[in-house]
Amino acid sequence: EAPPDQLIPFHHELAQVQNPPQYLFFYCDLPSETGGETALIDSTLVYRFVADTFPKFMDKLKTYGARYKRVLPEEDDKASPIGRSFYNAYGVNDKIELEKKLNAIPGLEYQWLPEGSLEVITEPIPAVRFIDQQHNHGIYQWTFHNSVIAAFLGWKDCRNDRKKAVRFGNNDPMDEEILESIAKFMEEKKISYKWKKGDIFAINNRLVMHSRNSFTGARRVYASMFGDAMMKNEVKRDGVGELIDDFSALEVTDPITFGCWRLDDPEQAVYNAIKAGYRRFDSACDY
């Protein structure tokens, strides 16, 4: 992982690839002396902040996605937070195998630099994702599913300039002031957890972003990741076992959930919410 004196900014794990893992598990074998907290933030919250505050920026992000630029060394650079060699990053043993992998990705660009490093500019990657269902649970929300802020803040070392690490999918630059504002919002809304030995985290990588604070002393937190546990058509169920293939009633511009807990007049409140455009209601029987 990144050197202990450096922060790992908020990100969805491997959001800079086309098929990021859906689940993350962390196990704390040795907590750090100070710092080292894992911070979390709801990605749907970040999406709504960006969409409401910077609508033109969000429109471009939805339309074009994001491209990431990174220079990878030939050997691991342990002093850098992004110092993995191109051999380890791509799981290859030689440059011929690596070029074969890179050439198979439409839209990806790369070049070998004189000192032996590899510069890679990814193909346009979706930067926001609409989550419909997740194992019998309807989600129907947009997420800020990317590594844009992580790249902008954290992709810096002797080879990389963080301000050139990310751009829109059409190659337009991203406004640095907007990126700084998003990063500030994340910092203000995050929840940090101090590890204790034996702690386990299970994170839905589709909905939650995570980061790591700097720390002192030894720290050993193991991580694993994997994809969906079930096929998509096996999880779209309505609670009584019937497959659902018509979601037209939920097709609204930004279908967020209206909560019904502790409403003084739930009947009128729900009626007004429907008029306002809500189509999903958290309405358990005890409400």
Side-chain angles (χ1 to χ4, degrees):
E1 60 179 357
D5 63 335
Q6 300 183 34
L7 169 76
I8 299 178
F10 274 110
H11 61 286
H12 286 274
E13 194 66 32
L14 293 176
Q16 70 273 20
V17 302
Q18 290 286 356
N19 296 299
Q22 294 193 18
Y23 303 98
L24 308 176
F25 282 86
F26 297 100
Y27 169 74
C28 179
D29 184 56
L30 179 65
S32 56
E33 293 177 3
T34 64
E37 300 90 351
T38 292
L40 306 175
I41 191 168
D42 179 352
S43 186
T44 67
L45 182 68
V46 180
Y47 167 82
R48 290 194 292 273
F49 167 76
V50 179
D52 292 344
T53 312
F54 308 108
K56 292 183 179 179
F57 179 91
M58 178 56 73
D59 286 344
K60 289 193 70 171
L61 208 56
K62 279 186 174 181
T63 301
Y64 301 112
R67 302 188 76 186
Y68 302 88
K69 177 183 177 182
R70 183 164 166 181
V71 178
L72 298 90
E74 187 168 8
E75 297 181 358
D76 288 341
D77 179 1
K78 295 184 178 180
S80 168
I82 52 171
R84 292 181 68 191
S85 71
F86 49 75
Y87 294 116
N88 286 335
Y90 288 95
V92 297
N93 296 314
D94 55 60
K95 292 182 180 180
I96 295 177
E97 184 182 2
L98 173 57
E99 289 190 352
K100 184 177 180 180
K101 271 192 171 184
L102 298 177
N103 290 332
I105 302 175
L108 181 143
E109 301 175 36
Y110 71 92
Q111 64 172 329
W112 294 103
L113 302 181
E115 75 277 12
S117 296
L118 173 70
E119 179 186 275
V120 176
I121 303 176
T122 70
E123 74 280 19
I125 305 291
V128 295
R129 294 177 185 258
F130 184 75
I131 310 302
D132 49 16
Q133 291 220 359
Q134 179 82 21
H135 300 304
N136 299 325
H137 296 285
I139 306 297
Y140 300 98
Q141 296 201 51
W142 287 98
T143 60
F144 193 68
H145 200 288
N146 57 64
S147 291
V148 167
I149 299 304
F152 175 68
L153 294 181
W155 287 17
K156 54 183 179 180
D157 59 14
C158 61
R159 294 167 297 275
N160 291 274
D161 179 352
R162 68 179 182 87
K163 294 184 178 182
K164 298 179 180 179
V166 64
R167 65 186 74 168
F168 287 109
N170 66 346
N171 290 320
D172 284 349
M174 294 187 181
D175 190 311
E176 292 181 16
E177 291 187 3
I178 291 178
L179 297 178
E180 294 283 4
S181 180
I182 298 170
K184 181 181 178 182
F185 175 83
M186 291 177 168
E187 183 66 20
E188 292 172 348
K189 300 299 181 181
K190 72 179 183 181
I191 297 175
S192 295
Y193 181 79
K194 177 64 176 176
W195 288 102
K196 299 185 293 294
K197 182 176 175 59
D199 283 348
I200 295 176
F201 259 19
I203 296 178
N204 187 327
N205 192 47
R206 303 172 80 193
L207 299 172
V208 177
M209 306 177 84
H210 67 282
S211 68
R212 190 214 69 188
N213 294 338
S214 59
F215 64 92
T216 61
R219 179 184 187 269
R220 190 161 54 246
V221 176
Y222 296 105
S224 65
M225 61 188 77
F226 58 95
D228 201 349
M230 301 173 66
M231 297 298 292
K232 187 175 181 182
N233 63 357
E234 293 178 343
V235 301
K236 289 187 173 180
R237 300 181 182 273
D238 64 359
V240 295
E242 295 299 321
L243 290 174
I244 298 175
D245 53 18
D246 180 10
F247 297 103
S248 58
L250 295 169
E251 291 177 357
V252 294
T253 304
D254 189 6
I256 60 177
T257 301
F258 185 89
C260 299
W261 190 42
R262 292 187 175 181
L263 294 177
D264 293 331
D265 186 354
E267 183 177 355
Q268 186 63 40
V270 169
Y271 175 74
N272 291 335
I274 293 173
K275 289 175 62 178
Y278 284 89
R279 292 298 181 269
R280 297 188 66 243
F281 296 87
D282 185 356
S283 52
C285 61
D286 57 336
Y287 295 172

